[in-house]
Amino acid sequence: MAEVTIRQFAEVVGISIDRLLEQLQEAGVQVADPDAMISDAEKMELLGHLRRKHSTGDDEDVAESKKITLKRKTSSELKLANSQGKTKSVTVEVRKKRTYIKRSVVVEEETKRIEEAKAKRAEHIAVQEIVERETKRKVDELDSKRQAVDEVHTRTIEEAKEVEKQRALMEAKRVVEKELAKQAVKPDEDEGVESRNKKRGRRKERFDDADVLVEAEVAVVDEEAQPAREELHVSADMAGRRKRKQKHKKVNVQPSEEHGFTMPTARVVREVSVPETMTVGELAQKMSVKVAEVIKVLMNLGTMATINQVIDQATAVVVVEELGHKAKLTKADAIEDTIVEEESSANAIARPPVVTIMGHVDHGKTSLLDYIRRTKVAAGEAGGITQHIGAYHVETKNGVITFLDTPGHAAFTAMRARGAKATDIVILVVAADDGVMPQTRESIQHAKAGNVPLIIAVNKIDKPDADPERVRNALVQEGVVPDDWGGDTMFVNVSARTGEGVDKLLEAILLQAEVLELKAVADGPARGVIIESRLDKGRGPVATILVQKGTLRKGDIVLAGFEYGRVRAMLDENGKQVDAAGPSMPVEVLGLSSVPNAGDEATAVADERTAREVAAFRQSRFRDVKMARQQSVKLENMFSQMQEGEVRTLFIVLKSDVQGSAEAISDALQKLSTDEVKVRIITSGVGAITESDVNLAVASNAIVIGFNVRADVAAKRLIEEEGVDLRYYSIIYELLDHVKQAMSGMLAPLFKESIVGIAEVRDVFRSPKFGNIAGCMVTQGAVKRNNPIRVLRDNVVIYEGELESLRRFKDDAGEVKQGLECGIGVKNYNDVQPGDQIEVYERIQIQRTI
Ligand code: GDP
Ligand code: MG
């Protein structure tokens, strides 16, 4: 083509003249007006420009063109014959829509996402490194300090005396030094930790405000080697409320053979017990230093604290070491530690096993307990009419067995949820005529989760249709293999009716107990667990304590949870007064201030004041500890805890609507396990989330996942109380994604469902115009017309969809609030029944914060 005008060229190309002019301009081709000529060279220039532009893809049109949507519509006609034989034609229209996206775009996005994730991960690692380095520095620092103190400890008395002598000579000089130090700037705390001399200087300075002339390490000597000093240490231990001045007076009167006078020597290194949390004031008091001292040290550590501020154990230890004392880590209540120490001493003796009976309803738990009780328990003197308490013990010729008379896994798990482990062995009762049932399975899971060995009592073998072999086979399916089949579980055939096999069962229990080598210290203060408690009209608070260690005696002061009191009277299971109860013995105790909770730990303590203080302390700490615990089992915190090396296993309690999805999800979740993090399904089952599920989750630090199921009322309350992490899902891959992401710390912005409102269906009306209309009461939140909904029956999701109509009286409503009635029509669903719940939800995007 020869030269043409721009106007002609535009026509040929098929775009407007203005657009062409614009493009030419962009391409850097100078043109005067539409009638000007355009050369081939200029055309090539334009083409080149347009190509470049397209390949960089900065044009919006171009980006769009990476995605192509094809729509196709086909119509066809069907001829149908109806019942009268007439034919009827129906037009069928098939619409297809398909979107193609250029692969490069997808790849690009994916790469970008991966890059981002990598960057995040790198950031985490960097932070972790810093934390590690910081921790190591602190630990090193503490170590070197400890070393310095140890050195002092190991020094011989001669050496100490030698130093003492020198000290005496240098005393005058030190007084001056001290005065100087008072005005001097505080030396840098961080340097020269290893140097004892510098440390000495610092210690001296710390005691500036005490108006005594004290020199430190000399007194840090072996107590046994120098009994004369013992008094000093004793007084120092009780020095909490004593003025330092008095203490040193005491030191002064101690005779010294070598000198005519004794230096006011002793600066005592105290062993300070450091509980999990404590206030600055408490810490100061324990070390007998001024609060200001502690605050000063904290300031040097970069923490601004006040007297009532609660500091954690790690910080407190640093402060204690910093002030030259020794820290001893204790639990919140140090009392229990004294008993723990005794436990380690070698005088532990064998103790009777404590047994809990579990099993499916009607399989004979109560009957079995009753039979054993009736025939084996020595009847009480009071006419054999026994008073019912939550536990009893049986004396056989081979040994004693204690039974917890709280059948069912609910009690067992509730106990475990509170951190108490009362049961050594679980007897699982399975009726030979019924076999493995849901609660049988649940019991197995609970026992496994609690790491408690099982003994199977195959009950009702007196019945003609009893089939113990079938029970065995069924239990093998559940992973419980009889020992005579090469497994490790004892099976005993029994009849609670005729008593057949019961002796064998008792023998099996004792055999298992022998394997477990159950031992406990029998003397010393008692420690145990509350099995049950109640308020008796005549006798006040009554608690059944299962003694686990030591011996509980009448007159002891007992601390149980938040309650305490002097044991006024102690009764055994027959209502007979007893004066003492040793390990594995259950006793009913009178005299507590109020009713403790089942599962609370019960401890005999030295005096009432300690009991009162600890009870008060526990009450005040209860919230903190609970909150900390709650935080620790949130899915979101999973990764950060892994970084701290804490979580290695993610425990999950899974409930779903049907067995198929339970299995599929459970399998898929377990496959998410990596070398670093294991996923463990504590239990998976079908149906609503129950209180027992939640208890199990609390006991094993698990999160609860409901797939198309909801928590029932009791479970909801417990979830709230315990702060359990509960998640509802209705899409499997979303569930898996969340867990996977939580494990890798790469939770991208995620969608979370939140329940906006719940309406309970009270009645269902037929409306010719709208189909079925559910007459509802909004019981929670608000029902919103345009949100997605689910229909729940017995807390299981049976339909997912949207609303067709929402009406209040005769009018359409956009939203109906809690406490109001409304009429709801569910789109495309006509099976709503009274008692169903309609759950209105929304999906909100959560931005991750890690
Ligand atoms: P639980 O719900 O597990 O406590 O079961 P129960 O102890 O209440 O027993 C349920 C029913 O089974 C009762 O009617 C008992 O009489 C009966 N039962 C329990 N053990 C036996 C047994 O060994 N043989 C027979 N024939 N019946 C039994
Ligand atoms: Mg029963």
Side-chain angles (χ1 to χ4, degrees):
M1 189 182 347
E3 293 214 329
V4 289
T5 65
I6 291 177
R7 197 184 295 278
Q8 286 164 334
F9 184 53
E11 241 169 277
V12 172
V13 180
I15 60 170
S16 75
I17 299 168
D18 286 348
R19 179 93 178 109
L20 183 60
L21 282 173
E22 206 177 283
Q23 287 180 343
L24 280 168
Q25 194 130 22
E26 278 174 31
V29 179
Q30 293 303 322
V31 284
D33 62 303
D35 292 318
M37 292 302 211
I38 179 165
S39 68
D40 278 348
E42 279 166 341
K43 281 184 208 158
M44 288 314 289
E45 183 87 311
L46 176 64
L47 186 63
H49 163 70
L50 289 176
R51 276 198 185 130
R52 274 195 304 280
K53 196 164 143 192
H54 282 214
S55 65
T56 52
D58 58 357
D59 196 309
E60 271 177 26
D61 306 346
V62 180
E64 281 243 336
S65 70
K66 288 178 182 171
K67 194 161 119 183
I68 298 170
T69 304
L70 300 179
K71 290 182 186 144
R72 200 169 66 193
K73 195 167 94 177
T74 52
S75 295
S76 58
E77 214 163 72
L78 276 182
K79 293 222 184 304
L80 296 173
N82 70 4
S83 51
Q84 278 98 43
K86 279 187 190 167
T87 53
K88 193 174 139 195
S89 63
V90 179
T91 313
V92 179
E93 191 176 290
V94 180
R95 290 182 191 159
K96 283 187 184 155
K97 183 174 161 188
R98 202 166 263 190
T99 302
Y100 295 90
I101 300 176
K102 238 185 177 175
R103 167 155 291 174
S104 66
V105 179
V106 180
V107 171
E108 223 168 77
E109 274 171 13
E110 190 60 18
T111 328
K112 209 168 117 207
R113 212 179 56 77
I114 291 169
E115 285 299 313
E116 272 170 19
K118 269 190 193 155
K120 260 191 183 167
R121 173 91 198 174
E123 208 173 286
H124 279 305
I125 291 170
V127 170
Q128 192 198 2
E129 261 171 23
I130 293 170
V131 171
E132 257 171 25
R133 212 180 313 132
E134 219 21 50
T135 315
K136 192 170 173 306
R137 196 182 62 78
K138 274 201 178 155
V139 169
D140 285 350
E141 211 171 275
L142 283 181
D143 272 357
S144 58
K145 277 181 198 166
R146 244 175 239 134
Q147 239 173 356
V149 175
D150 283 350
E151 244 174 72
V152 176
H153 268 282
T154 50
R155 220 193 291 161
T156 61
I157 298 165
E158 282 77 15
E159 236 182 303
K161 278 181 183 166
E162 182 59 34
V163 178
E164 210 171 323
K165 224 186 276 171
Q166 284 180 10
R167 285 284 146 72
L169 290 171
M170 289 173 73
E171 191 214 338
K173 199 180 154 204
R174 286 185 190 284
V175 175
V176 179
E177 258 182 27
K178 191 171 77 74
E179 283 306 312
L180 287 175
K182 232 179 216 172
Q183 291 141 32
V185 186
K186 202 170 189 281
D188 191 353
E189 293 275 323
D190 283 335
E191 62 173 37
V193 237
E194 288 98 331
S195 151
R196 217 169 58 224
N197 285 333
K198 270 192 189 165
K199 200 168 176 180
R200 220 176 271 151
R202 269 171 39 209
R203 288 229 176 116
K204 184 158 60 60
E205 194 221 18
R206 283 187 199 112
F207 283 80
D208 281 349
D209 51 358
D211 44 352
V212 277
L213 304 175
V214 181
E215 204 30 73
E217 289 87 348
V218 193
V220 187
V221 291
D222 191 347
E223 284 182 22
E224 278 168 11
Q226 203 174 12
R229 295 252 175 243
E230 223 166 270
E231 195 190 355
L232 169 72
H233 284 268
V234 170
S235 79
D237 283 345
M238 317 192 300
R241 261 152 258 93
R242 237 176 251 189
K243 285 210 182 88
R244 188 174 286 124
K245 231 175 168 177
Q246 284 178 323
K247 191 174 71 205
H248 288 296
K249 256 187 219 152
K250 224 173 198 162
V251 177
N252 279 336
V253 298
Q254 288 190 16
S256 163
E257 301 91 349
E258 290 187 31
H259 306 291
F261 72 98
T262 309
M263 258 280 302
T265 48
R267 154 72 176 46
V268 177
V269 171
R270 283 187 202 89
E271 198 174 69
V272 182
S273 60
V274 180
E276 281 152 1
T277 60
M278 67 196 312
T279 67
V280 171
E282 283 163 358
L283 181 59
Q285 207 205 5
K286 280 202 175 181
M287 294 187 290
S288 303
V289 300
K290 290 185 175 170
V291 176
E293 291 262 355
V294 177
I295 293 178
K296 210 158 84 187
V297 174
L298 281 169
M299 251 160 70
N300 286 335
L301 293 170
T303 311
M304 304 300 275
T306 60
I307 180 164
N308 287 322
Q309 188 154 328
V310 177
I311 54 176
D312 62 20
Q313 205 167 33
T315 313
V317 169
V318 176
V319 173
V320 169
E321 304 264 345
E322 198 61 21
L323 287 174
H325 296 291
K326 278 184 85 177
K328 187 178 160 221
L329 306 191
T330 62
K331 292 204 285 180
D333 23 35
I335 303 150
E336 280 139 39
D337 277 18
T338 55
I339 300 163
V340 172
E341 268 165 33
E342 262 168 66
E343 189 184 12
S344 61
S345 65
N347 55 358
I349 53 163
R351 65 169 175 83
V354 180
V355 175
T356 297
I357 297 196
M358 293 192 193
H360 194 70
V361 67
D362 279 349
H363 278 198
K365 299 178 290 293
T366 310
S367 307
L368 189 60
L369 272 167
D370 282 350
Y371 181 87
I372 296 169
R373 188 184 176 80
R374 219 174 40 238
T375 55
K376 307 289 169 187
V377 175
E381 264 128 51
I385 296 168
T386 52
Q387 188 182 343
H388 185 82
I389 75 168
Y392 60 82
H393 75 279
V394 173
E395 280 167 30
T396 74
K397 30 180 209 307
N398 297 323
V400 179
I401 303 168
T402 300
F403 285 90
L404 294 190
D405 198 355
T406 46
H409 47 247
F412 175 81
T413 314
M415 193 87 90
R416 234 167 49 75
R418 320 191 106 258
K421 193 190 170 200
T423 305
D424 302 310
I425 298 167
V426 166
I427 307 293
L428 177 58
V429 177
V430 189
D433 61 340
D434 201 15
V436 171
M437 300 303 278
Q439 282 166 288
T440 314
R441 276 189 205 102
E442 236 180 290
S443 303
I444 295 170
Q445 286 167 342
H446 283 253
K448 276 191 181 156
N451 245 336
V452 180
L454 278 172
I455 292 177
I456 312 294
V458 183
N459 191 30
K460 305 196 187 182
I461 49 155
D462 58 296
K463 282 194 154 188
D465 53 348
D467 189 353
E469 282 311 298
R470 195 172 57 110
V471 173
R472 276 163 206 256
N473 280 317
L475 279 166
V476 169
Q477 303 278 311
E478 303 296 323
V480 180
V481 184
D483 52 0
D484 45 0
W485 291 13
D488 57 0
T489 310
M490 281 190 265
F491 278 61
V492 185
N493 292 346
V494 298
S495 165
R497 178 152 299 172
T498 65
E500 188 188 338
V502 170
D503 281 328
K504 263 201 204 127
L505 178 63
L506 299 181
E507 263 168 47
I509 294 169
L510 287 167
L511 202 68
Q512 180 71 54
E514 229 168 87
V515 174
L516 292 174
E517 291 187 23
L518 305 167
K519 280 192 172 152
V521 179
D523 39 45
R527 189 156 75 155
V529 59
I530 305 287
I531 300 294
E532 60 175 7
S533 63
R534 63 178 196 278
L535 194 63
D536 188 290
K537 257 194 220 133
R539 302 181 297 165
V542 180
T544 304
I545 298 178
L546 172 71
V547 179
Q548 293 175 309
K549 293 181 185 105
T551 299
L552 185 63
R553 291 171 205 285
K554 203 170 140 181
D556 279 354
I557 308 288
V558 170
L559 170 68
F562 305 145
E563 312 304 336
Y564 63 94
R566 185 177 294 277
V567 177
R568 219 164 5 97
M570 231 160 57
L571 309 168
D572 69 6
E573 59 258 36
N574 300 320
K576 215 173 82 186
Q577 291 257 5
V578 288
D579 290 332
S584 295
M585 282 300 125
V587 274
E588 207 174 40
V589 165
L590 279 66
L592 289 178
S593 52
S594 183
V595 185
N597 290 315
D600 276 346
E601 204 174 62
T603 319
V605 294
D607 55 82
E608 196 151 347
R609 214 198 71 217
T610 318
R612 189 171 52 238
E613 278 174 5
V614 177
F617 178 84
R618 280 182 180 175
Q619 210 134 25
S620 70
R621 288 291 172 274
F622 180 60
R623 281 183 63 87
D624 303 354
V625 172
K626 193 171 118 184
M627 265 167 55
R629 186 163 57 87
Q630 286 172 0
Q631 281 309 309
S632 71
V633 288
K634 298 276 187 236
L635 194 55
E636 282 94 355
N637 299 337
M638 174 91 208
F639 186 71
S640 54
Q641 282 175 11
M642 266 160 45
Q643 295 284 306
E644 289 159 22
E646 278 186 23
V647 177
R648 284 284 171 260
T649 311
L650 173 62
F651 296 101
I652 294 174
V653 168
L654 172 72
K655 290 302 276 279
S656 58
D657 51 350
V658 291
Q659 187 59 34
S661 51
E663 277 164 17
I665 295 169
S666 173
D667 276 0
L669 278 173
Q670 269 158 334
K671 283 201 188 107
L672 293 181
S673 290
T674 63
D675 285 346
E676 283 139 26
V677 199
K678 299 265 167 293
V679 177
R680 212 183 124 201
I681 312 291
I682 300 284
T683 173
S684 79
V686 173
I689 296 160
T690 63
E691 201 175 359
S692 154
D693 295 325
V694 180
N695 264 326
L696 188 58
V698 174
S700 22
N701 279 335
I703 64 167
V704 180
I705 292 180
F707 185 78
N708 276 338
V709 294
R710 300 291 176 263
D712 67 20
V713 181
K716 269 188 192 144
R717 203 183 43 230
L718 194 60
I719 283 165
E720 202 123 299
E721 248 174 58
E722 299 288 345
V724 173
D725 192 359
L726 164 70
R727 276 147 197 273
Y728 292 149
Y729 292 97
S730 51
I731 304 169
I732 292 188
Y733 81 78
E734 198 167 273
L735 188 167
L736 295 175
D737 254 23
H738 276 189
V739 173
K740 201 155 108 192
Q741 288 169 340
M743 284 166 60
S744 60
M746 291 196 275
L747 269 186
L750 59 87
F751 289 96
K752 194 180 169 179
E753 260 180 41
S754 115
I755 294 170
V756 178
I758 292 176
E760 244 172 55
V761 180
R762 297 280 154 93
D763 213 343
V764 178
F765 310 96
R766 281 214 72 83
S767 148
K769 207 165 131 202
F770 301 112
N772 281 357
I773 294 296
C776 298
M777 166 65 87
V778 182
T779 54
Q780 187 185 313
V783 172
K784 293 187 178 167
R785 168 74 178 78
N786 294 321
N787 282 43
I789 61 111
R790 294 194 181 95
V791 181
L792 310 179
R793 188 165 299 160
D794 295 326
N795 289 309
V796 173
V797 177
I798 53 169
Y799 182 75
E800 235 179 305
E802 50 191 300
L803 294 186
E804 175 88 64
S805 63
L806 175 64
R807 307 195 122 205
R808 190 139 161 76
F809 300 112
K810 290 251 145 24
D811 305 317
D812 279 329
E815 181 179 329
V816 179
K817 291 225 163 64
Q818 182 175 354
L820 300 178
E821 289 178 332
C822 59
I824 291 179
V826 179
K827 203 178 223 167
N828 299 330
Y829 188 70
N830 269 330
D831 186 35
V832 180
Q833 290 174 13
D836 288 353
Q837 287 183 321
I838 294 174
E839 170 189 284
V840 181
Y841 66 96
E842 66 182 357
R843 290 168 70 79
I844 36 177
Q845 191 173 4
I846 312 264
Q847 196 67 44
R848 295 281 307 155
T849 47
I850 305 179

